[in-house]
Amino acid sequence: MAVTVVGSVAFDSIETPAGRRERCLGGAATYFSLSASYFTDVRVIAVVGEDFGKPQEEVFQARNIDTRGIEHTAGKSFFWEGSYLDNLNEAKTQITELNVFAAFNPKIPDAYRDSEFLFLANIDPVLQRRVREAMPQAKLVAGDTMNYWIKGHRTALLEVLKGLDILLINDTETKMLAGNNNLVQAARAVMALGPKALVVKHGEYGATLFHGANPKGASAERSFRAPAMPLEEVVDPTGAGDSFAGGFFGYLASQPEQSPAVFRRAMFYGCVMGSFACERFGTERLQELTRSEIDNRFNLFRELTHLD
Amino acid sequence: MAVTVVGSVAFDSIETPAGRRERCLGGAATYFSLSASYFTDVRVIAVVGEDFGKPQEEVFQARNIDTRGIEHTAGKSFFWEGSYLDNLNEAKTQITELNVFAAFNPKIPDAYRDSEFLFLANIDPVLQRRVREAMPQAKLVAGDTMNYWIKGHRTALLEVLKGLDILLINDTETKMLAGNNNLVQAARAVMALGPKALVVKHGEYGATLFHGANPKGASAERSFRAPAMPLEEVVDPTGAGDSFAGGFFGYLASQPEQSPAVFRRAMFYGCVMGSFACERFGTERLQELTRSEIDNRFNLFRELTHLD
């Protein structure tokens, strides 16, 4: 089944211990789309400026991503500049220029309206809600958010959470959203706000899935932990979380049903795609993967964690 | 096979968000012994003062731990006071009084000399080396250390590392010892110093085993990651790392051979014992476990991480 994603398509200037890149293609919706495209059809809703041209368009085309929902307007695309020189696990933002993104009003092509899988990447929760309401046919809705919205736009965010099947955020965001420093207690509190499942991303330590009653109702609360792979070299962690989300949700959408076993495999695919994203600058690695490279790494992750 | 451990037996005063305990039995060798005692026979080498009496002795006796190597001398036992109020993952030390430990000169009872498994807990590397040399029959030797010895006693520590089969340390210590911030590269550098295997403990995220050529020589470098369990309540993390070591090494010693599959299970048992240690203050939880509780949690850890 096709996945529709709404989020940012941007240009990023990135500095890491491995080097520096100017204005490479970035944005949450970009990383998500490229990653999910290895599993299922992907449709993007975003806005870009005049600096988004043929070379950028071709990155999406090469992966057969539907870009009819990318609106082109006068002005410049969203621009972000960040550095990981001090800490590879956390970007230090140097510049954020919203540009055309400041007036983003998502427009949903008619051709997208049969999407049963919807991903609301990290944008203003008011926009997330608007897209969700405009796509009532979506049967599985997942989303991301960040500390900025949790701190300053809580009311709007709580409205989004009510309608989410799956929320994907990191440790700090989970604890901040719940106001509780214990991850298990915080996860429970977050799930009480709406999401039926919560994926907490731990960066280099992988991710944990918390979910409520499983389909058989056997247990009130279950969790599943997928590992990140110890990487020889982390070139650029930008987009790793969005690539996780793309692998996770893209795999879910590719399966005939979303059973607990499928969720577990989706967690592994999420970690696999996140690990690939870190191996090169920007989207470089995600543009040129093969499904067999992905499945080989999936099997490595299995070996890394399984007893037998 | 019996395991001999040399390390501290101490009194700890601990403050955590869950409360405060004064002068409970602690020390690396104590946590290690109690944890390992669920898997194999354990013998302790340590020194205590006059404040170590019958109630403390009985904690070891109840687990059939051989205490003939615990030397009793005039003075007070090693005392540590720490707080986890700011951060459950890292103790803030308030007081360290070495007391009788300052003049510790490990004495090895003759009855211990056939121990084939030796654990050198976190003490002065000069003492670690002395014990290792005094027990040449030990066929598997593992050890721990800490930032204090890595920074200020490097030469002595390097001598110990040369003779170690397995080193167990945390992320920060691994990176500090190697002078490299990438965990994979740091692990390789540390193993080049001597240890054939390296266990890096990640606190609430579990632990990773790095090992060189496996017995079949199939691969130059392999790793295995065992999870920590997301805990509803962390009452007191004191001793979690030593309890990990006890479960890990105790299980290894209990097996007829140390195959890669046994190492993997040992990693799981380490994480299991570390998770139990956190559930109550001090050694409370480790004193009253049953092997079936341990194996039930082992199975929970398997469910938490395994795809099928």
Side-chain angles (χ1 to χ4, degrees):
Chain A
M1 303 292 300
V3 168
T4 292
V5 53
V6 58
S8 57
V9 170
F11 288 92
D12 293 341
S13 289
I14 302 163
E15 189 160 23
T16 84
R20 189 177 164 86
R21 289 292 184 283
E22 304 296 336
R23 292 185 61 76
C24 47
L25 180 63
T30 304
Y31 283 101
F32 179 95
S33 302
L34 289 170
S35 176
S37 73
Y38 290 92
F39 302 92
T40 193
D41 293 334
V42 183
R43 300 155 171 181
V44 191
I45 302 169
V47 63
V48 294
E50 292 146 324
D51 46 5
F52 184 96
K54 206 159 186 306
Q56 289 76 34
E57 179 68 27
E58 279 170 356
V59 171
F60 290 89
Q61 300 296 351
R63 295 292 320 145
N64 282 314
I65 296 164
D66 193 329
T67 57
R68 284 177 288 178
I70 299 184
E71 182 188 358
H72 293 252
T73 68
K76 287 172 72 179
S77 300
F78 184 13
F79 173 72
W80 176 81
E81 182 171 332
S83 160
Y84 300 87
L85 291 184
D86 296 334
N87 181 355
L88 264 175
N89 290 310
E90 201 178 327
K92 193 169 167 185
T93 294
Q94 318 280 7
I95 302 172
T96 304
E97 293 171 0
L98 289 178
N99 298 327
V100 299
F101 208 74
F104 182 33
N105 185 12
K107 292 176 189 60
I108 301 156
D110 284 340
Y112 286 17
R113 292 196 182 269
D114 63 350
S115 284
E116 294 188 0
F117 292 83
L118 175 63
F119 189 79
L120 309 170
N122 170 31
I123 52 172
D124 187 334
V126 170
L127 301 184
Q128 290 181 314
R129 189 180 177 196
R130 202 177 295 163
V131 172
R132 201 282 165 256
E133 286 176 352
M135 297 187 71
Q137 83 300 336
K139 68 170 189 182
L140 199 72
V141 184
D144 188 4
T145 191
M146 68 183 292
N147 49 10
Y148 177 80
W149 308 114
I150 295 171
K151 275 187 206 152
H153 296 71
R154 193 174 177 90
T155 310
L157 180 60
L158 291 179
E159 286 303 312
V160 174
L161 295 181
K162 282 183 197 165
L164 276 194
D165 296 298
I166 311 167
L167 177 66
L168 294 93
I169 49 182
N170 68 26
D171 285 76
T172 311
E173 291 156 356
T174 305
K175 292 171 180 174
M176 185 187 289
L177 185 51
N180 187 321
N181 268 323
N182 177 281
L183 186 64
V184 179
Q185 293 172 16
R188 187 178 303 141
V190 167
M191 290 166 71
L193 300 174
K196 295 179 201 61
L198 171 68
V199 175
V200 182
K201 297 173 282 183
H202 311 307
E204 63 176 313
Y205 299 116
T208 303
L209 167 69
F210 294 92
H211 49 120
N214 71 30
K216 298 207 177 77
S219 151
E221 280 166 347
R222 318 271 311 214
S223 56
F224 181 69
R225 188 163 277 188
M229 194 170 74
L231 282 176
E232 180 73 35
E233 191 182 21
V234 175
V235 171
D236 172 17
T238 307
D242 301 311
S243 304
F244 176 99
F248 172 81
F249 204 59
Y251 178 75
L252 282 183
S254 76
Q255 297 300 299
E257 59 167 9
Q258 285 70 47
S259 65
V262 166
F263 263 83
R264 288 172 175 239
R265 295 177 68 88
M267 288 290 290
F268 263 58
Y269 278 115
C271 288
V272 162
M273 300 307 288
S275 82
F276 278 124
C278 298
E279 290 184 346
R280 303 247 191 100
F281 273 100
T283 58
E284 283 171 23
R285 190 74 177 102
L286 293 181
Q287 290 175 227
E288 46 117 70
L289 285 166
T290 64
R291 184 60 195 255
S292 86
E293 283 183 297
I294 292 169
D295 286 327
N296 285 343
R297 183 156 298 182
F298 183 98
N299 290 331
L300 261 183
F301 273 46
R302 181 197 286 265
E303 263 187 57
L304 178 70
T305 53
H306 282 44
L307 289 164
D308 311 302
Chain B
M1 303 293 298
V3 169
T4 291
V5 54
V6 57
S8 58
V9 170
F11 288 92
D12 293 341
S13 289
I14 302 162
E15 189 162 22
T16 83
R20 188 176 164 86
R21 288 292 183 284
E22 303 296 338
R23 293 185 61 76
C24 45
L25 180 63
T30 305
Y31 283 101
F32 179 95
S33 302
L34 289 171
S35 176
S37 73
Y38 291 93
F39 301 93
T40 193
D41 293 333
V42 184
R43 301 156 171 180
V44 191
I45 302 167
V47 62
V48 295
E50 292 147 323
D51 47 3
F52 184 97
K54 206 159 187 306
Q56 290 75 36
E57 179 69 27
E58 279 170 356
V59 170
F60 290 88
Q61 299 297 352
R63 296 294 318 147
N64 282 314
I65 297 164
D66 193 330
T67 58
R68 284 176 289 179
I70 299 184
E71 182 189 358
H72 293 252
T73 67
K76 288 171 73 180
S77 301
F78 185 13
F79 173 72
W80 177 80
E81 181 171 333
S83 159
Y84 300 87
L85 292 183
D86 296 335
N87 181 354
L88 264 174
N89 289 311
E90 201 178 325
K92 192 168 166 184
T93 293
Q94 317 279 8
I95 302 173
T96 303
E97 293 171 359
L98 288 178
N99 299 327
V100 299
F101 208 73
F104 182 32
N105 185 11
K107 292 175 190 58
I108 300 156
D110 284 340
Y112 287 16
R113 293 197 182 267
D114 62 350
S115 284
E116 294 188 359
F117 293 83
L118 174 63
F119 189 79
L120 309 171
N122 170 31
I123 52 173
D124 186 334
V126 170
L127 301 184
Q128 289 181 314
R129 188 181 176 195
R130 201 176 296 165
V131 172
R132 201 283 165 256
E133 286 177 352
M135 297 186 71
Q137 83 300 336
K139 68 171 190 181
L140 199 72
V141 185
D144 188 6
T145 190
M146 68 184 293
N147 49 10
Y148 177 79
W149 310 114
I150 295 171
K151 276 187 205 152
H153 296 71
R154 192 174 178 89
T155 311
L157 180 59
L158 291 179
E159 285 304 311
V160 174
L161 295 181
K162 281 182 198 165
L164 276 194
D165 296 298
I166 311 168
L167 177 65
L168 295 92
I169 49 181
N170 67 28
D171 285 74
T172 311
E173 291 155 357
T174 306
K175 292 171 180 174
M176 186 187 288
L177 185 51
N180 187 320
N181 267 322
N182 178 282
L183 187 64
V184 179
Q185 293 172 15
R188 185 178 305 142
V190 168
M191 290 166 69
L193 300 174
K196 296 178 201 59
L198 171 67
V199 176
V200 182
K201 297 172 283 183
H202 310 308
E204 62 176 314
Y205 299 116
T208 303
L209 167 70
F210 294 92
H211 50 119
N214 70 33
K216 298 207 178 75
S219 150
E221 280 167 344
R222 319 268 314 212
S223 55
F224 181 69
R225 189 162 275 189
M229 193 170 74
L231 282 176
E232 178 73 34
E233 191 182 19
V234 175
V235 171
D236 172 16
T238 307
D242 302 310
S243 305
F244 176 100
F248 172 81
F249 204 59
Y251 178 75
L252 282 183
S254 75
Q255 297 300 299
E257 59 168 9
Q258 284 70 49
S259 64
V262 166
F263 263 82
R264 288 173 174 239
R265 295 177 67 88
M267 288 291 290
F268 263 58
Y269 277 115
C271 288
V272 163
M273 299 309 287
S275 82
F276 278 124
C278 297
E279 290 185 345
R280 302 246 192 103
F281 273 99
T283 57
E284 285 172 22
R285 189 74 177 100
L286 293 181
Q287 290 176 228
E288 44 117 71
L289 286 166
T290 64
R291 184 62 195 256
S292 86
E293 281 182 299
I294 293 168
D295 286 327
N296 285 343
R297 183 156 298 181
F298 183 98
N299 290 332
L300 260 184
F301 273 47
R302 181 197 284 265
E303 265 188 56
L304 178 70
T305 53
H306 282 45
L307 289 165
D308 311 302

